[in-house]
Amino acid sequence: MKRKLPVWSVVLAVSVLASGFWLVAAQAPSSAPAKPATPPQAAAPARPGTPAGQSAASWRGSQVRGLSQRAEMYYESAWGVGDFHVKVAESGELIRFNYRVLDPAKAATLNDKKFEPELDDAQARIKLSIPQMEKVGKLRQQSTPKAGMVYWMAFANPTLQVKRGHRVDVVIGGFRATNLVVE
């Protein structure tokens, strides 16, 4: 008996793939201002001459995404990847993980077919996996990595438990990116 896929699942798969190709082709940073994931702990002392309500330190760099500068250097040197982004896609049904390859030899583990990626959310107490679509296959890129390219994978979030602002870990074989903020 041949089983038909619901139309929405085919549309979902095609839109995810199309947005992935668009993201790789564009490779331009978003013009929308980034919102910090957590409010500042304490207000920075104002410098003389700065208007009231503005802090002296305005750039937070990697702290917005939850990674320290030291963590970014570790992922670049040990795994050959950087510029991680975890985003909610398709009305929360998918969680998309993007990363930029800096060293293809070191980053080969992340695109290896034999490793099953998973996304762990301790706050929601859930582990997400990559769905297998009947006609499309796994919602991840598994080609040989190339330097400078952005790669992605999408995790199924059918219960909508993983939400914006949650801190998640992405595990692929021996690779583990921790404390990433879902945008």
Side-chain angles (χ1 to χ4, degrees):
M1 184 166 117
K2 196 169 189 178
R3 197 175 123 214
K4 290 186 177 181
L5 276 177
V7 173
W8 63 267
S9 64
V10 174
V11 171
L12 175 69
V14 170
S15 64
V16 167
L17 289 174
S19 64
F21 292 126
W22 177 80
L23 179 69
V24 171
Q27 289 187 4
S30 173
S31 61
K35 295 181 181 178
T38 57
Q41 298 294 335
R47 290 186 194 163
T50 57
Q54 289 185 355
S55 66
S58 60
W59 184 76
R60 289 190 173 88
S62 60
Q63 293 177 355
V64 171
R65 289 187 312 237
L67 289 178
S68 67
Q69 204 171 20
R70 188 175 192 156
E72 286 182 353
M73 288 185 342
Y74 164 74
Y75 290 120
E76 289 173 7
S77 64
W79 294 99
V81 292
D83 198 20
F84 301 126
H85 292 282
V86 180
K87 296 180 181 181
V88 173
E90 302 302 327
S91 300
E93 295 276 337
L94 293 174
I95 305 296
R96 185 181 165 123
F97 172 61
N98 295 336
Y99 59 94
R100 182 177 303 276
V101 172
L102 305 171
D103 183 353
K106 293 178 182 177
T109 303
L110 277 73
N111 288 23
D112 197 345
K113 294 179 184 180
K114 66 182 175 183
F115 295 118
E116 285 296 321
E118 67 179 30
L119 184 133
D120 299 335
D121 186 347
Q123 183 176 352
R125 295 186 183 113
I126 192 168
K127 289 185 180 185
L128 304 180
S129 61
I130 295 181
Q132 172 81 29
M133 304 302 272
E134 188 174 314
K135 294 187 179 184
V136 178
K138 292 222 178 246
L139 293 180
R140 72 180 282 199
Q141 291 175 303
Q142 298 175 337
S143 61
T144 306
K146 295 178 184 171
M149 296 294 293
V150 175
Y151 292 88
W152 61 271
M153 55 187 69
F155 297 91
N157 187 23
T159 59
L160 304 178
Q161 289 184 327
V162 178
K163 298 180 170 110
R164 285 185 173 93
H166 284 205
R167 294 191 176 267
V168 296
D169 300 343
V170 176
V171 181
I172 308 167
F175 172 82
R176 183 176 192 96
T178 60
N179 208 24
L180 301 173
V181 178
V182 179
E183 300 172 4

